[in-house]
Amino acid sequence: MNRLRLLAMATVLTFAIGAAAQQTPTSPDAHTVAVAPVEQHLRILSDKLSLTADQQNKARPILQEMHDGSQKLEDDQSLTPDQRHEGMVPVFIKADKALREILTEDQKKKLDEMEAQMHGGPHDHPHGSTAPPQGN
């Protein structure tokens, strides 16, 4: 699979996690903080893609598994940064594939557009669709 497409997909998912982390209010409750990135990632995707309550319930465990997998790799100090990055690719691919299974065609197009915006233009998507050119 094209590395550029994988990077685009991973960046969109990572961007949503990063944006969620920036919005996390400071809280002394460790359990709230530990769950917050997944819930905020879900909230961002819900807002951007207009997810239904059922889709949110299905997306939550997908995002949790992605978060847990990427965190495990990030915490593994025996890996080089390149090895961590390579290890995260299948984690992101699995999450993207699972999320796309619960999205409508319009939501998939919006996700493709989000990926294109993250990279300044359209890219082939690993699932066969392409984002429309910017400015149309």
Side-chain angles (χ1 to χ4, degrees), residues 87-122:
M88 286 188 190
V89 170
V91 172
F92 290 132
I93 289 172
K94 183 178 178 182
D96 184 73
K97 182 178 179 182
L99 282 171
R100 286 178 180 274
E101 289 177 5
I102 65 171
L103 299 178
T104 67
E105 290 305 313
D106 285 342
Q107 290 168 325
K108 290 175 191 176
K109 289 177 186 176
K110 287 180 187 178
L111 184 58
D112 289 341
E113 290 169 5
M114 288 170 56
E115 290 175 355
Q117 288 174 354
M118 290 293 300
H119 297 282

Side-chain angles (χ1 to χ4, degrees), residues 25-104:
T26 305
S27 170
D29 183 358
H31 294 287
T32 303
V33 173
V35 175
V38 172
E39 288 303 315
Q40 288 188 343
H41 187 175
L42 179 60
R43 193 173 314 126
I44 290 167
L45 288 177
S46 295
D47 291 345
K48 299 281 186 185
L49 302 177
S50 302
L51 298 181
T52 66
D54 184 51
Q55 287 174 316
Q56 290 176 37
N57 289 335
K58 291 177 181 176
R60 186 173 285 108
I62 295 167
L63 297 176
Q64 185 66 55
E65 183 177 346
M66 181 187 72
H67 177 268
D68 293 347
S70 62
Q71 189 65 53
K72 181 178 177 183
L73 286 164
E74 196 62 39
D75 292 343
D76 188 346
Q77 296 303 308
S78 71
L79 301 174
T80 66
D82 285 342
Q83 289 171 324
R84 283 187 199 112
H85 174 75
E86 289 296 319
M88 286 188 190
V89 170
V91 172
F92 290 132
I93 289 172
K94 183 178 178 182
D96 184 73
K97 182 178 179 182
L99 282 171
R100 286 178 180 274
E101 289 177 5
I102 65 171
L103 299 178
T104 67

